[in-house]
Amino acid sequence: MSVIRSTVLGCGSYLPEKFLTNEELASMVDTSDDWIVQRTGIRKRHIASEGEFTSHLAVKAARRALDNAGFEAKDIDVIILATATPDNTFPATAVTVQHELGMHHGFAFDIQAVCSGFVFALATADNFLRSGQARRTLVIGAETFSRILDWQDRTTCVLFGDGAGAVVLEARQAEGSIADRGILTTHLRSDGSHKSKLYVDGGPSSTQTVGHLRMEGKEVFKHAVGMITDVIEDAYKATGLGSDDLDWFVPHQANKRIIDASAKKLGIAPEKVVTTVDQHGNTSAASIPLALDAAVRDGRIKRGDLVMLEAMGGGFTWGSALLRW
Ligand code: ACO
C-alpha cells in the first residue's frame, strides 16, 4: 500500500556564542559545579546576548537546516516554530522567521507545548504533509529561556539555557511498511491538572508581565519517567517495533538522570542514547533538534537509522515520535 511519509531531509542548529559555566553560576547563586553535574549532568548553558531574540536563533538554525537539505526558503510551504519564549506576545515568532528567510508565500505559525514543543510541531507537520496540504515543512524549536528565569532562584536558574534547532521535512511516497524512511508514528498527550508543578508566573492576560519560570523539581522528576515511557510504549504498540530495534534514542535534554532512568526502564542500551544536555542544559523545545543535529553531524545518525524522539514538559505535555532517518 502506497502512503505518504514525512521524511527528514536535513537538520541544523544554533547555540548563542555566550555561555555560562557551572563555576560562573556558583558566583551568582549558592550552588556548585558538583551539585549541578551530579543532579543534572549539565556543565554549561548558552545565553542569548542583549538584542538577540528567539527569532534570531531560529533563523540561524533554519538556514543551516535548509543548507543541509539542499533547499532554499522558496522550496518550503509551511514553517512551524515551537517556542515558549516568543519575541513578542504576538505575532507568532514563526512569521518573523518567515520574513527573515525572505519567504512570502505559504504560512507560518507557532506551537506552544513548552519542552514537548518540538515533538508537537513535528506531529503537526506530519499531519499537514500526509494530508497533502503541504509538500515541505520547516520545523523549528527555538528558545531564550534565560529571559524567563529568576536568576536568584538556584533551584531553576542552573537548569535552563538558550538555543535553536530545525529540520526540513518532505512528503514522499513510501510503501507503508516499518522499513520506510520518514515519520512512522507520533503520540501526543497532555494533562493540565499538573499546571502548578511547572509554569511561568506571568502572562498577558493574567499579570500583563512576562513572569518567571517556577518549578517543583521533585514533582516533575516523579512524573517524567512514567509519562515518557508510556508514549514510547504507545509507539511500539503502533508499529510492532521495540527498544532492540532502535538505532538511536534522542530524548528531550532536560536532565541526565531522567534520560538515563527512562532508557533503563525501556531497556534501551546506553550506547544508543544521544545526550547533549551537558553542553547546553535544558533548552526546552530546542533540545531535541539540537541533539539530533549533533548526532547527525558527528556521523552517529545515518540514513535508514530508526530514531525515537520523546519529550515531556510544562502542562504537563508529553509525546513521542518514531522515525526512520
Ligand atoms: N545548588 C545547590 N543546592 C541546591 C540547588 C542548587 N542549584 N537547587 C536546590 N538545591 C538544594 C535544595 O535547596 C535542597 O536543599 P535542602 O535539602 O537543604 O532543602 C537540596 O538541594 C535537594 O533539593 P531537591 O529539590 O530535593 O533536589 P533533587 O535531588 O530533587 O534535584 C532537580 C533537583 C535537579 C531540580 C531535580 O528535582 C530534577 O531534575 N527535577 C526535574 C526537573 C526538570 O528536569 N525539569 C524540566 C523537565 S520539564 C521541562 O523540560 C520544562
Side-chain angles (χ1 to χ4, degrees), residues 31 35 39 115 154 198 215 217-218 221 252 255 282 312:
T31 191
W35 193 97
R39 308 273 174 146
C115 299
R154 67 174 182 174
L198 178 53
M215 179 172 70
K218 259 196 185 344
F221 202 111
H252 167 46
N255 179 312
N282 183 347
M312 183 263 184

Side-chain angles (χ1 to χ4, degrees), residues 225-240:
V225 177
M227 289 175 163
I228 289 163
T229 52
D230 276 358
V231 279
I232 290 178
E233 274 158 10
D234 288 344
Y236 290 159
K237 271 183 226 140
T239 56

Side-chain angles (χ1 to χ4, degrees), residues 144-165:
T144 46
F145 259 50
S146 63
R147 306 270 153 76
I148 55 164
L149 294 175
D150 174 350
W151 287 99
Q152 255 104 61
D153 175 10
R154 67 174 182 174
T155 67
T156 53
C157 76
V158 303
L159 302 175
F160 296 90
D162 303 338

Side-chain angles (χ1 to χ4, degrees), residues 15-199:
L15 287 166
E17 275 174 30
K18 198 169 86 181
F19 62 86
L20 201 54
T21 62
N22 292 346
E23 286 82 2
E24 287 169 301
L25 263 176
S27 68
M28 297 161 59
V29 287
D30 182 13
T31 191
S32 66
D33 178 50
D34 265 4
W35 193 97
I36 301 172
V37 172
Q38 271 177 29
R39 308 273 174 146
T40 71
I42 298 166
R43 293 184 184 276
K44 65 177 167 94
R45 69 286 297 139
H46 290 251
I47 307 290
S49 309
E50 207 184 320
E52 192 174 30
F53 304 155
T54 294
S55 63
H56 300 136
L57 312 188
V59 166
K60 287 190 166 126
R63 287 211 169 104
R64 289 177 181 177
L66 286 167
D67 278 354
N68 185 245
F71 290 128
E72 294 173 30
K74 68 175 172 45
D75 303 314
I76 301 295
D77 311 309
V78 183
I79 298 174
I80 307 177
L81 189 148
T83 189
T85 45
D87 289 8
N88 299 92
T89 301
F90 78 79
T93 303
V95 299
T96 304
V97 172
Q98 179 189 24
H99 173 67
E100 289 299 320
L101 291 175
M103 178 177 154
H104 300 287
H105 62 279
F107 59 97
F109 63 97
D110 287 0
I111 277 194
Q112 219 295 35
V114 205
C115 299
S116 310
F118 186 76
V119 175
F120 276 60
L122 206 60
T124 307
D126 184 38
N127 281 301
F128 276 113
L129 292 165
R130 284 188 301 111
S131 70
Q133 284 192 64
R135 209 159 60 87
R136 289 195 198 109
T137 65
L138 182 58
V139 175
I140 309 170
E143 302 278 16
T144 46
F145 259 50
S146 63
R147 306 270 153 76
I148 55 164
L149 294 175
D150 174 350
W151 287 99
Q152 255 104 61
D153 175 10
R154 67 174 182 174
T155 67
T156 53
C157 76
V158 303
L159 302 175
F160 296 90
D162 303 338
V167 297
V168 175
L169 293 157
E170 183 175 73
R172 289 200 164 176
Q173 291 293 331
E175 284 183 359
S177 83
I178 52 166
D180 293 344
R181 274 187 81 196
I183 295 177
L184 301 177
T185 191
T186 60
H187 299 268
L188 306 181
R189 293 288 312 279
S190 67
D191 181 350
S193 67
H194 298 287
K195 177 182 167 185
S196 64
K197 298 183 182 92
L198 178 53
Y199 68 105

